[in-house]
């Protein structure tokens, strides 16, 4: 069992392929619907290398960000609007939030606009998060999530409220970040805070269907949650195991950390072979006023991880780097690399 070759972490051509065949071709998380829709009726983003327009009418929908007249972008990436209709800035064609043509100026009385609605893309809502399949080629979402659904459901993250968020620019490949997340072989050397509240050799990995990997770890006796002193300043989530934390990664870009009293997510967007944007979010019951006990702990831990990932990236860019063997404690990394290898070969991810 060895790592992927150097090019997987350093070659722009590999990342370009991944953006099309991993991020655009599968179910990519774009964030929480309530946050994406605040103050806007539609916005533009990218899913992998495909421009996507999100609209918020009766429900969140995704469309190709291209006008059906001459292909002009309806919005530039990162832009948003609060108008009740999507208007192309080139020739003024406009669309309802459900994608139907609203007006096609000066096209003549004989023109039938019905066949020229926006190209809709598969969209799914899952526990409050919006997922889009930008190529329309992914497996049904229920099969894609598979056994992960039963692990996440007891935490009811859709009922939790965003209480804190940090964004990071990490000078490392997106896959390195995921690999680091899925093993604690490194914890005794770089995470003294974590090891005080959770034994780094505890827990086990799940073996359930779906395009995801992950496992759980135990809390030490006397620890209530993952915080610097092991104490919780929040509210226990009903119906979940109070002694374990689940660390789960849904391919390609959502990491879910399920705690006894809060849910933390990392959402990844690759910017370059050696650069990844990471959005870290903390969700708590609405009654919790102060999330700092969890935020402080994980910001310290995140930054320790990012420094390690950046060092791995620099090492991988060395002409002398060769893929090294994986230890038994890196079983989840092996599962992740195997999933990636299946994807590279065009096989099913699960």
């Amino acid at each position: 069992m060895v790592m992927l070759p150097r090019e997987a972490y350093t070659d722009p051509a590999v990342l370009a392929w991944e953006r099309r065949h991993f991020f655009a071709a599968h179910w990519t998380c774009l964030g929480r619907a309530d946050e994406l829709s605040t103050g806007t009726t539609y916005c533009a983003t990218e899913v992998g290398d495909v421009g996507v327009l999100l609209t918020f009418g009766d429900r969140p929908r995704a469309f190709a960000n291209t006008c059906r007249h001459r292909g002009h972008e309806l919005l530039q990436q990162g832009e948003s609007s609060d108008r009740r209709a999507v208007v192309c800035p080139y020739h003024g064609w406009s669309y309802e939030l459900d994608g139907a043509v609203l007006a096609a100026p000066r096209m003549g009385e004989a023109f039938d606009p019905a066949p020229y609605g926006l190209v809709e893309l598969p969209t799914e809502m899952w526990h409050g998060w919006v997922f889009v399949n930008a190529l329309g080629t992914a497996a049904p979402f229920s099969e894609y999530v598979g056994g992960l659904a039963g692990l996440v459901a007891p935490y009811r993250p859709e009922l939790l409220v965003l209480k804190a968020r940090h964004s990071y620019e990490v000078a490392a490949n997106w896959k390195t970040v995921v690999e680091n997340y899925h093993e604690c072989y490194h914890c005794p050397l770089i995470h003294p805070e974590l090891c005080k509240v959770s034994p780094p050799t505890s827990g086990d990995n799940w073996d359930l269907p779906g395009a995801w990997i992950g496992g759980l770890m135990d809390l030490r006796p006397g620890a209530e949650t993952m915080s610097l002193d092991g104490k919780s300043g929040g509210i226990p989530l009903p119906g979940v195991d109070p002694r374990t934390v689940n660390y789960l990664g849904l391919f390609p870009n959502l990491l879910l950390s399920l705690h006894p009293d809060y849910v933390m997510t990392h959402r990844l967007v690759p910017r370059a072979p050696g650069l990844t944007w990471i959005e870290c979010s903390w969700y708590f019951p609405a009654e919790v006023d102060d999330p700092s006990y969890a935020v402080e702990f994980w910001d310290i831990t995140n930054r320790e991880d990012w420094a390690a990932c950046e060092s791995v990236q620099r090492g991988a860019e060395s002409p002398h780097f060769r893929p090294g063997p994986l230890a038994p404690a890196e079983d989840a990394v092996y599962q992740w690399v195997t999933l990636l290898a299946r994807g590279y070969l065009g096989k099913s991810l699960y």
Side-chain angles (χ1 to χ4, degrees), residues 131-159:
F131 290 81
V132 171
N133 172 218
L135 294 189
T137 57
F141 189 76
S142 59
E143 296 179 18
Y144 194 79
V145 173
L148 183 66
L151 300 179
V152 176
Y155 292 82
R156 297 189 292 178
E158 68 278 8
L159 302 181

Side-chain angles (χ1 to χ4, degrees), residues 42-311:
Y42 58 96
C43 61
T45 187
E46 275 191 328
V47 179
D49 61 349
V50 176
V52 171
L53 188 80
L54 292 176
T55 70
F56 304 98
D58 58 334
R59 60 181 175 84
R61 297 173 183 260
F63 301 93
N65 186 16
T66 177
C67 182
R68 292 299 308 279
H69 172 225
R70 293 272 298 280
H72 196 285
E73 290 175 313
L74 299 163
L75 277 181
Q76 292 186 22
Q77 183 184 356
E79 288 187 337
S80 64
S81 173
D82 60 1
R83 300 174 70 170
R84 295 303 303 173
V86 178
V87 180
C88 178
Y90 196 20
H91 295 102
W93 279 42
S94 60
Y95 304 86
E96 304 279 7
L97 296 180
D98 65 3
V101 175
L102 177 63
R106 300 181 298 282
M107 289 298 293
E109 293 183 1
F111 175 69
D112 178 12
Y116 297 99
L118 298 178
V119 176
E120 188 160 8
L121 309 174
T123 306
E124 289 284 346
M125 285 284 296
W126 187 63
H127 293 297
W129 289 289
V130 178
F131 290 81
V132 171
N133 172 218
L135 294 189
T137 57
F141 189 76
S142 59
E143 296 179 18
Y144 194 79
V145 173
L148 183 66
L151 300 179
V152 176
Y155 292 82
R156 297 189 292 178
E158 68 278 8
L159 302 181
L160 303 180
V161 177
L162 177 70
K163 293 289 184 173
R165 170 168 290 154
H166 288 178
S167 296
Y168 306 90
E169 293 272 357
V170 182
N173 187 269
W174 69 280
K175 298 184 296 296
T176 298
V177 174
V178 177
E179 290 157 7
N180 176 85
Y181 175 83
H182 281 300
E183 55 94 352
C184 213
Y185 188 34
H186 67 275
C187 291
L189 292 176
I190 74 168
H191 293 319
E193 302 86 4
L194 184 150
C195 292
K196 288 179 181 178
V197 292
S198 181
T201 58
S202 67
D204 203 356
N205 294 317
W206 297 104
D207 183 16
L208 297 168
W212 63 278
I213 59 172
L216 52 80
M217 292 179 65
D218 300 327
L219 293 171
R220 290 193 185 276
E224 299 171 347
T225 192
M226 301 296 282
S227 65
L228 291 176
D229 60 4
K231 302 299 182 184
S232 173
I235 300 171
L237 301 179
V240 307
D241 188 341
R243 303 304 310 152
T244 63
V245 179
N246 266 291
Y247 298 97
L248 311 169
L250 179 57
F251 182 87
N253 76 323
L254 183 64
L255 306 178
L256 292 153
S257 303
L258 310 177
H259 300 77
D261 52 342
Y262 61 94
V263 168
M264 179 180 70
T265 63
H266 293 84
R267 189 169 64 88
L268 281 59
V269 179
R271 302 293 197 201
L275 183 64
T276 305
W277 179 82
I278 303 174
E279 176 189 78
C280 185
S281 306
W282 289 265
Y283 297 93
F284 293 78
E287 306 93 300
V288 174
D289 294 323
D290 185 4
S292 62
Y293 71 95
V295 175
E296 182 182 10
F297 175 87
W298 281 111
D299 185 52
I300 291 171
T301 305
N302 281 339
R303 293 179 187 279
E304 292 166 344
D305 279 329
W306 308 156
C309 291
E310 290 178 344
S311 182

